[in-house]
Coordinates of all heavy atoms in Angstrom, one line a residue:
F22 N 4.2 30.8 -2.1 CA 3.4 31.3 -0.9 C 4.2 31.2 0.3 O 5.2 30.6 0.5 CB 2.0 30.6 -0.9 CG 2.1 29.2 -0.3 CD1 1.9 29.0 1.0 CD2 2.4 28.1 -1.1 CE1 2.0 27.7 1.5 CE2 2.5 26.8 -0.7 CZ 2.2 26.7 0.7
V23 N 3.7 31.9 1.3 CA 4.3 31.9 2.6 C 3.3 31.4 3.7 O 2.1 31.7 3.6 CB 4.7 33.4 3.0 CG1 5.3 33.5 4.4 CG2 5.7 34.1 2.0
A24 N 3.8 30.5 4.5 CA 2.9 29.9 5.5 C 3.6 30.0 6.9 O 4.8 30.1 7.0 CB 2.7 28.5 5.1
R25 N 2.8 29.9 7.9 CA 3.2 29.9 9.3 C 4.0 28.7 9.6 O 3.7 27.6 9.2 CB 2.0 30.0 10.2 CG 2.4 29.7 11.7 CD 1.2 29.5 12.5 NE 0.2 28.6 12.2 CZ 0.3 27.3 12.2 NH1 1.2 26.6 12.8 NH2 -0.8 26.5 11.8
D26 N 5.1 28.8 10.2 CA 6.0 27.8 10.7 C 5.7 27.5 12.2 O 5.7 26.3 12.7 CB 7.4 28.1 10.6 CG 8.0 28.2 9.2 OD1 7.8 27.2 8.4 OD2 8.2 29.4 8.8
V27 N 5.4 28.5 13.0 CA 5.2 28.3 14.4 C 4.1 29.2 15.0 O 4.1 30.4 14.6 CB 6.6 28.6 15.2 CG1 6.4 28.5 16.7 CG2 7.7 27.8 14.7
F28 N 3.3 28.6 15.8 CA 2.2 29.4 16.4 C 2.7 29.5 17.9 O 3.0 28.6 18.5 CB 1.0 28.6 16.5 CG -0.2 29.4 17.0 CD1 -0.8 30.3 16.2 CD2 -0.7 29.3 18.3 CE1 -1.9 31.0 16.6 CE2 -1.8 30.0 18.8 CZ -2.3 31.0 17.9
L29 N 3.0 30.7 18.3 CA 3.7 31.1 19.5 C 2.9 30.7 20.8 O 3.6 30.4 21.8 CB 4.1 32.5 19.5 CG 5.1 33.0 18.5 CD1 5.4 34.4 18.6 CD2 6.4 32.2 18.6
D30 N 1.6 31.0 20.8 CA 1.0 30.9 22.1 C -0.3 30.1 22.1 O -1.3 30.4 22.8 CB 0.6 32.3 22.6 CG -0.1 33.2 21.6 OD1 -0.6 32.7 20.5 OD2 -0.1 34.4 21.7
N31 N -0.2 29.0 21.5 CA -1.3 28.0 21.5 C -1.5 27.5 23.0 O -2.6 27.4 23.4 CB -1.0 26.8 20.6 CG -2.2 25.9 20.5 OD1 -3.3 26.5 20.3 ND2 -2.1 24.7 20.5
E32 N -0.3 27.4 23.6 CA -0.3 27.1 25.1 C 0.1 28.3 25.8 O 1.2 28.9 25.6 CB 0.6 26.0 25.4 CG 0.6 25.5 26.9 CD 1.5 24.3 27.1 OE1 1.7 23.5 26.2 OE2 2.1 24.3 28.2
E33 N -0.7 28.9 26.6 CA -0.5 30.3 27.2 C 0.3 30.2 28.5 O -0.1 30.8 29.6 CB -1.8 31.0 27.4 CG -2.6 31.2 26.1 CD -3.9 31.9 26.3 OE1 -4.0 32.7 27.2 OE2 -4.8 31.5 25.7
T34 N 1.5 29.7 28.5 CA 2.5 29.7 29.6 C 3.7 30.3 29.2 O 4.1 30.1 28.0 CB 2.7 28.3 30.3 OG1 3.5 27.5 29.3 CG2 1.3 27.7 30.7
P35 N 4.4 31.0 30.1 CA 5.8 31.5 29.7 C 6.7 30.5 29.2 O 7.3 30.8 28.1 CB 6.4 32.2 30.9 CG 5.1 32.5 31.8 CD 4.1 31.3 31.4
E36 N 6.8 29.4 29.7 CA 7.8 28.3 29.3 C 7.3 27.8 27.8 O 8.2 27.7 27.1 CB 7.8 27.1 30.2 CG 8.8 26.1 29.8 CD 10.2 26.6 29.6 OE1 10.6 27.5 30.2 OE2 10.8 26.0 28.7
A37 N 6.1 27.7 27.7 CA 5.6 27.2 26.3 C 5.9 28.2 25.3 O 6.3 27.8 24.2 CB 4.1 26.8 26.4
V38 N 5.7 29.4 25.5 CA 6.0 30.5 24.5 C 7.5 30.5 24.2 O 7.9 30.7 23.1 CB 5.4 31.8 24.9 CG1 5.9 32.9 23.9 CG2 4.0 31.8 25.1
R39 N 8.3 30.5 25.4 CA 9.8 30.5 25.1 C 10.2 29.2 24.2 O 11.1 29.3 23.4 CB 10.5 30.4 26.5 CG 10.5 31.7 27.2 CD 11.5 31.8 28.4 NE 11.0 30.9 29.4 CZ 10.3 31.1 30.4 NH1 9.7 32.3 30.6 NH2 10.0 30.2 31.4
Q40 N 9.6 28.1 24.4 CA 9.9 26.9 23.7 C 9.4 27.1 22.2 O 10.2 26.7 21.3 CB 9.1 25.7 24.2 CG 9.7 25.1 25.5 CD 11.2 24.7 25.4 OE1 11.6 24.1 24.4 NE2 12.0 25.1 26.3
Q41 N 8.4 27.8 21.9 CA 8.0 28.0 20.6 C 8.9 29.0 20.0 O 9.2 28.9 18.8 CB 6.5 28.6 20.5 CG 5.5 27.5 20.9 CD 5.6 26.3 20.0 OE1 6.3 25.4 20.3 NE2 4.8 26.3 18.9
L42 N 9.4 30.0 20.7 CA 10.4 31.0 20.1 C 11.7 30.1 19.7 O 12.3 30.5 18.8 CB 10.8 32.0 21.2 CG 9.6 33.1 21.3 CD1 9.9 34.0 22.4 CD2 9.3 33.8 20.0
K43 N 12.1 29.2 20.5 CA 13.2 28.3 20.2 C 12.9 27.5 18.9 O 13.8 27.3 18.1 CB 13.5 27.3 21.3 CG 14.2 28.0 22.6 CD 14.5 27.0 23.7 CE 15.0 27.7 24.8 NZ 15.2 26.8 26.0
A44 N 11.7 27.2 18.8 CA 11.3 26.5 17.5 C 11.4 27.4 16.3 O 11.7 27.0 15.2 CB 9.8 25.9 17.7
V45 N 11.0 28.7 16.5 CA 11.2 29.6 15.4 C 12.7 29.7 15.0 O 12.9 29.7 13.8 CB 10.7 31.0 15.9 CG1 11.0 32.1 14.8 CG2 9.2 31.0 16.2
E46 N 13.6 29.8 16.0 CA 15.0 29.8 15.7 C 15.4 28.6 15.0 O 16.1 28.7 14.0 CB 15.8 30.0 16.9 CG 15.5 31.4 17.6 CD 16.3 31.6 18.9 OE1 17.4 30.9 19.0 OE2 16.0 32.4 19.6
A47 N 15.0 27.4 15.4 CA 15.4 26.2 14.8 C 14.8 26.1 13.3 O 15.6 25.7 12.4 CB 14.8 25.0 15.6
A48 N 13.7 26.6 13.1 CA 13.1 26.6 11.7 C 13.9 27.5 10.8 O 14.2 27.3 9.7 CB 11.7 27.0 11.8
A49 N 14.3 28.7 11.4 CA 15.0 29.7 10.6 C 16.4 29.2 10.3 O 16.9 29.4 9.1 CB 15.1 31.0 11.4
K50 N 17.0 28.5 11.2 CA 18.4 28.0 10.9 C 18.2 26.8 9.9 O 19.1 26.6 9.0 CB 18.9 27.3 12.2 CG 19.4 28.4 13.1 CD 20.0 27.8 14.4 CE 20.4 28.8 15.4 NZ 20.9 28.2 16.6
R51 N 17.2 26.0 10.0 CA 17.1 24.8 9.1 C 16.6 25.3 7.6 O 17.1 24.8 6.7 CB 15.9 23.9 9.6 CG 15.7 22.7 8.8 CD 14.5 21.9 9.4 NE 13.3 22.6 9.3 CZ 12.5 23.0 10.3 NH1 12.8 22.6 11.5 NH2 11.4 23.7 10.1
D52 N 15.6 26.2 7.5 CA 15.1 26.5 6.3 C 15.5 28.0 5.8 O 15.2 28.3 4.6 CB 13.6 26.6 6.4 CG 13.0 25.3 6.9 OD1 13.6 24.2 6.6 OD2 11.9 25.3 7.6
G53 N 16.2 28.7 6.5 CA 16.6 30.0 6.1 C 15.7 31.2 6.5 O 16.0 32.3 6.6
T54 N 14.4 30.8 6.7 CA 13.4 31.8 7.2 C 12.5 31.0 8.1 O 12.3 29.7 8.1 CB 12.6 32.3 6.0 OG1 11.9 31.3 5.4 CG2 13.4 33.1 5.0
A55 N 11.7 31.7 8.9 CA 10.7 31.2 9.7 C 9.5 32.2 9.9 O 9.9 33.4 10.1 CB 11.2 30.8 11.1
V56 N 8.3 31.8 9.9 CA 7.2 32.7 10.1 C 6.5 32.2 11.4 O 6.1 31.0 11.5 CB 6.2 32.7 8.9 CG1 5.0 33.5 9.2 CG2 6.9 33.1 7.6
A57 N 6.3 33.2 12.3 CA 5.6 32.9 13.6 C 4.5 33.8 13.7 O 4.5 35.0 13.3 CB 6.6 33.0 14.7
I58 N 3.5 33.3 14.3 CA 2.2 34.1 14.6 C 1.8 33.9 16.1 O 2.2 32.9 16.6 CB 1.1 33.8 13.7 CG1 0.5 32.4 13.9 CG2 1.5 34.0 12.2 CD1 -0.8 32.1 13.2
G59 N 1.2 34.8 16.6 CA 0.7 34.8 18.0 C -0.3 35.9 18.2 O -0.6 36.7 17.4
H60 N -0.8 35.9 19.4 CA -1.8 36.9 19.9 C -1.1 37.9 20.8 O -0.1 37.6 21.4 CB -2.9 36.3 20.6 CG -3.7 35.3 19.9 ND1 -3.4 33.9 19.9 CD2 -4.7 35.4 19.0 CE1 -4.2 33.3 19.1 NE2 -5.1 34.2 18.5
P61 N -1.7 39.1 20.8 CA -1.2 40.2 21.7 C -1.5 39.9 23.2 O -2.1 40.8 23.9 CB -1.7 41.5 21.1 CG -3.0 41.1 20.6 CD -2.8 39.7 20.1
K62 N -1.1 38.7 23.7 CA -1.5 38.4 25.0 C -0.2 38.7 25.9 O 0.9 38.8 25.5 CB -1.7 36.9 25.2 CG -2.9 36.3 24.4 CD -3.0 34.8 24.3 CE -4.1 34.3 23.5 NZ -4.2 32.9 23.4
A63 N -0.5 38.9 27.2 CA 0.7 39.4 28.1 C 1.8 38.3 28.1 O 2.9 38.7 28.0 CB 0.1 39.5 29.4
V64 N 1.5 37.1 28.1 CA 2.5 36.0 28.1 C 3.3 36.1 26.8 O 4.5 35.9 26.8 CB 1.9 34.6 28.4 CG1 1.0 34.2 27.2 CG2 3.0 33.6 28.7
T65 N 2.7 36.3 25.7 CA 3.4 36.4 24.5 C 4.2 37.6 24.3 O 5.4 37.6 24.0 CB 2.3 36.4 23.2 OG1 1.5 35.2 23.5 CG2 3.1 36.2 21.9
L66 N 3.6 38.8 24.7 CA 4.4 40.1 24.6 C 5.6 40.1 25.6 O 6.6 40.5 25.2 CB 3.4 41.2 25.0 CG 2.3 41.4 23.9 CD1 1.3 42.4 24.4 CD2 2.9 41.7 22.6
D67 N 5.4 39.6 26.8 CA 6.5 39.4 27.7 C 7.7 38.6 27.2 O 8.9 39.0 27.3 CB 6.1 38.8 29.1 CG 5.2 39.8 29.9 OD1 5.1 41.0 29.5 OD2 4.6 39.3 30.8
A68 N 7.3 37.4 26.6 CA 8.4 36.5 26.0 C 9.1 37.3 24.9 O 10.3 37.2 24.7 CB 7.8 35.3 25.5
L69 N 8.3 37.9 24.0 CA 8.9 38.7 22.9 C 9.8 39.9 23.3 O 10.8 40.0 22.8 CB 7.8 39.3 21.9 CG 7.1 38.2 21.2 CD1 5.9 38.8 20.4 CD2 8.0 37.6 20.1
R70 N 9.4 40.5 24.4 CA 10.2 41.6 24.9 C 11.6 41.1 25.4 O 12.6 41.8 25.2 CB 9.5 42.3 26.1 CG 8.5 43.3 25.7 CD 7.9 44.1 26.9 NE 6.6 44.7 26.5 CZ 5.5 44.2 26.8 NH1 5.3 43.2 27.5 NH2 4.3 44.9 26.4
A71 N 11.7 40.0 26.0 CA 12.9 39.3 26.4 C 13.7 38.9 25.2 O 14.9 38.9 25.2 CB 12.6 38.3 27.4
W72 N 13.0 38.3 24.2 CA 13.6 37.5 23.1 C 14.2 38.5 22.0 O 15.3 38.3 21.5 CB 12.6 36.6 22.5 CG 13.1 35.7 21.4 CD1 13.9 34.6 21.4 CD2 12.7 35.7 20.0 NE1 14.0 34.0 20.2 CE2 13.2 34.7 19.3 CE3 11.7 36.6 19.4 CZ2 13.0 34.5 18.0 CZ3 11.4 36.4 18.1 CH2 12.1 35.3 17.4
L73 N 13.4 39.5 21.7 CA 13.8 40.4 20.5 C 15.1 41.0 20.7 O 15.9 41.0 19.7 CB 12.6 41.4 20.3 CG 11.3 40.8 19.8 CD1 10.2 41.9 19.8 CD2 11.6 40.3 18.4
P74 N 15.5 41.5 21.8 CA 16.8 42.2 21.9 C 18.0 41.2 21.7 O 19.1 41.7 21.5 CB 16.8 42.8 23.3 CG 15.4 42.9 23.6 CD 14.7 41.8 23.1
T75 N 17.7 39.9 21.8 CA 18.8 39.0 21.7 C 19.1 38.5 20.3 O 20.1 37.8 20.0 CB 18.6 37.8 22.5 OG1 17.5 37.0 21.9 CG2 18.2 38.1 24.0
L76 N 18.2 38.8 19.3 CA 18.3 38.3 18.0 C 19.5 38.6 17.2 O 20.2 37.8 16.7 CB 17.0 38.5 17.3 CG 15.7 37.9 17.9 CD1 14.5 38.3 17.0 CD2 15.9 36.5 17.9
A77 N 19.8 40.0 17.2 CA 20.9 40.4 16.3 C 22.3 39.8 16.8 O 23.0 39.4 15.9 CB 21.0 41.9 16.3
A78 N 22.5 39.7 18.0 CA 23.7 39.2 18.5 C 23.9 37.7 18.1 O 25.0 37.2 18.1 CB 23.9 39.4 20.0
R79 N 22.8 37.0 17.9 CA 22.9 35.6 17.5 C 22.6 35.4 16.0 O 22.5 34.2 15.6 CB 21.8 34.8 18.4 CG 22.3 34.9 19.8 CD 21.4 34.1 20.8 NE 20.0 34.7 20.9 CZ 19.0 34.0 20.5 NH1 19.0 32.8 19.9 NH2 17.7 34.5 20.5
G80 N 22.6 36.5 15.3 CA 22.7 36.4 13.8 C 21.3 36.2 13.2 O 21.2 35.8 12.0
F81 N 20.2 36.6 13.9 CA 18.9 36.6 13.3 C 18.5 38.0 13.0 O 18.9 39.0 13.6 CB 17.8 36.0 14.4 CG 18.1 34.6 14.6 CD1 18.7 34.2 15.8 CD2 17.6 33.6 13.7 CE1 18.9 32.8 16.0 CE2 17.8 32.2 13.9 CZ 18.4 31.8 15.1
V82 N 17.7 38.1 11.9 CA 17.2 39.5 11.4 C 15.6 39.3 11.3 O 15.2 38.4 10.6 CB 17.7 39.8 10.1 CG1 17.2 41.2 9.6 CG2 19.3 39.9 10.3
L83 N 14.9 40.3 11.9 CA 13.5 40.3 11.6 C 13.3 41.1 10.4 O 13.8 42.1 10.2 CB 12.8 40.9 12.8 CG 12.7 40.2 14.1 CD1 11.9 40.9 15.1 CD2 12.1 38.8 14.0
V84 N 12.3 40.6 9.5 CA 11.9 41.2 8.3 C 10.4 41.3 8.2 O 9.8 40.4 8.7 CB 12.5 40.6 7.0 CG1 14.0 40.6 7.1 CG2 12.1 39.2 6.9
P85 N 9.9 42.2 7.4 CA 8.4 42.2 7.2 C 8.1 40.9 6.4 O 8.8 40.5 5.6 CB 8.2 43.5 6.3 CG 9.4 44.3 6.5 CD 10.5 43.4 6.8
L86 N 6.8 40.4 6.7 CA 6.5 39.2 6.0 C 6.5 39.4 4.4 O 6.8 38.5 3.7 CB 5.0 38.9 6.4 CG 4.4 37.6 6.0 CD1 5.3 36.5 6.4 CD2 3.0 37.4 6.5
T87 N 6.2 40.6 4.0 CA 6.2 40.8 2.5 C 7.6 40.6 1.9 O 7.6 40.3 0.8 CB 5.8 42.4 2.2 OG1 6.6 43.2 3.0 CG2 4.3 42.5 2.5
D88 N 8.7 40.7 2.8 CA 10.0 40.3 2.2 C 10.1 38.9 1.9 O 11.1 38.6 1.1 CB 11.1 40.7 3.2 CG 11.4 42.3 3.3 OD1 10.6 43.0 2.7 OD2 12.2 42.6 4.0
L89 N 9.3 38.0 2.3 CA 9.4 36.6 2.1 C 8.5 36.2 0.8 O 8.6 35.1 0.4 CB 8.9 35.8 3.3 CG 9.7 36.1 4.6 CD1 9.2 35.2 5.6 CD2 11.2 35.9 4.3
V90 N 7.7 37.2 0.3 CA 6.8 36.9 -0.8 C 7.7 37.1 -2.1 O 8.3 38.1 -2.3 CB 5.6 37.8 -0.8 CG1 4.8 37.6 -2.1 CG2 4.8 37.6 0.4
P91 N 7.7 36.1 -2.9 CA 8.5 36.2 -4.2 C 8.0 37.4 -5.0 O 6.8 37.8 -5.0 CB 8.2 34.9 -4.9 CG 7.7 34.0 -4.0 CD 7.0 34.8 -2.9
D92 N 8.9 38.0 -5.7 CA 8.6 39.3 -6.6 C 7.6 39.0 -7.6 O 6.8 39.8 -7.9 CB 9.9 39.8 -7.2 CG 10.9 40.4 -6.3 OD1 10.4 40.8 -5.2 OD2 12.0 40.4 -6.5
E93 N 7.5 37.8 -8.1 CA 6.5 37.5 -9.2 C 5.1 37.3 -8.6 O 4.2 37.3 -9.4 CB 7.0 36.2 -10.0 CG 6.9 34.9 -9.2 CD 8.4 34.7 -8.5 OE1 9.2 35.5 -8.5 OE2 8.5 33.5 -8.0
A94 N 4.9 37.1 -7.3 CA 3.6 36.9 -6.8 C 2.7 38.1 -7.1 O 1.5 37.8 -7.5 CB 3.7 36.7 -5.3
P95 N 3.0 39.4 -6.9 CA 2.0 40.4 -7.3 C 1.6 40.4 -8.7 O 0.4 40.6 -9.1 CB 2.8 41.7 -7.0 CG 3.7 41.3 -5.9 CD 4.2 39.9 -6.3
A96 N 2.6 40.0 -9.7 CA 2.1 40.0 -11.1 C 1.1 38.8 -11.3 O 0.1 39.1 -12.1 CB 3.3 39.7 -11.9
V97 N 1.2 37.7 -10.7 CA 0.3 36.6 -10.8 C -1.0 37.1 -10.3 O -2.1 36.8 -10.9 CB 0.8 35.4 -10.1 CG1 -0.2 34.3 -10.0 CG2 2.1 34.9 -10.7
V98 N -1.1 37.8 -9.2 CA -2.4 38.1 -8.5 C -3.0 39.3 -9.5 O -4.1 39.2 -9.7 CB -2.0 38.8 -7.2 CG1 -3.4 39.5 -6.6 CG2 -1.6 37.7 -6.2
A99 N -2.2 40.1 -10.1 CA -2.7 41.2 -11.0 C -3.4 40.5 -12.2 O -4.4 40.9 -12.6 CB -1.6 42.1 -11.3
K100 N -2.7 39.5 -12.7 CA -3.2 38.9 -13.9 C -4.5 38.1 -13.5 O -5.4 38.1 -14.3 CB -2.1 37.8 -14.5 CG -1.0 38.5 -15.2 CD 0.0 37.4 -15.6 CE 1.2 38.2 -16.2 NZ 2.1 37.1 -16.7
A101 N -4.5 37.5 -12.5 CA -5.8 36.8 -12.0 C -6.9 37.8 -11.8 O -8.0 37.4 -12.0 CB -5.5 35.9 -10.9
A102 N -6.7 38.9 -11.5 CA -7.7 39.9 -11.1 C -8.3 40.6 -12.4 O -9.3 41.1 -12.3 CB -7.1 41.0 -10.2
R103 N -7.7 40.4 -13.4 CA -8.1 41.1 -14.8 C -9.3 40.3 -15.3 O -9.7 39.3 -15.3 CB -7.1 41.2 -15.7 CG -6.0 42.2 -15.3 CD -5.0 42.4 -16.3 NE -3.8 43.1 -15.6 CZ -2.7 43.3 -16.3 NH1 -2.4 42.8 -17.4 NH2 -1.9 44.1 -15.6

């Protein structure tokens, strides 16, 4: 299964969101992937607008969450639904 690693905007300040984005990067470096969630709040969106363009140059790639779900997961779900 896939679970959240970092909640971006539990504290709604620019500095707090930036710190959480650093935590996303640290988790991705440590574990190979990181899942972050947040709300479409101005503080979060502003931080993401600044952060997203920097990722590729630093070796990070954004992928859909479905890319992190193991291929066998849909088969297990399909079997359980029958």
Side-chain angles (χ1 to χ4, degrees):
F22 72 94
V23 178
R25 168 192 47 85
D26 295 294
V27 178
F28 191 79
L29 296 176
D30 52 13
N31 192 41
E32 186 179 328
E33 298 178 36
T34 67
E36 182 56 32
V38 175
R39 284 191 297 271
Q40 287 300 317
Q41 290 302 88
L42 291 170
K43 288 179 184 179
V45 172
E46 293 181 20
K50 287 178 183 177
R51 180 185 66 238
D52 302 331
T54 63
V56 176
I58 64 169
H60 297 97
K62 299 174 182 179
V64 67
T65 309
L66 296 174
D67 289 345
L69 288 170
R70 280 187 197 101
W72 182 70
L73 291 171
T75 71
L76 295 181
R79 292 182 298 112
F81 293 100
V82 177
L83 293 182
V84 298
L86 188 58
T87 53
D88 284 4
L89 303 181
V90 177
D92 289 337
E93 63 273 8
V97 172
V98 173
K100 288 180 184 177
R103 291 184 189 170

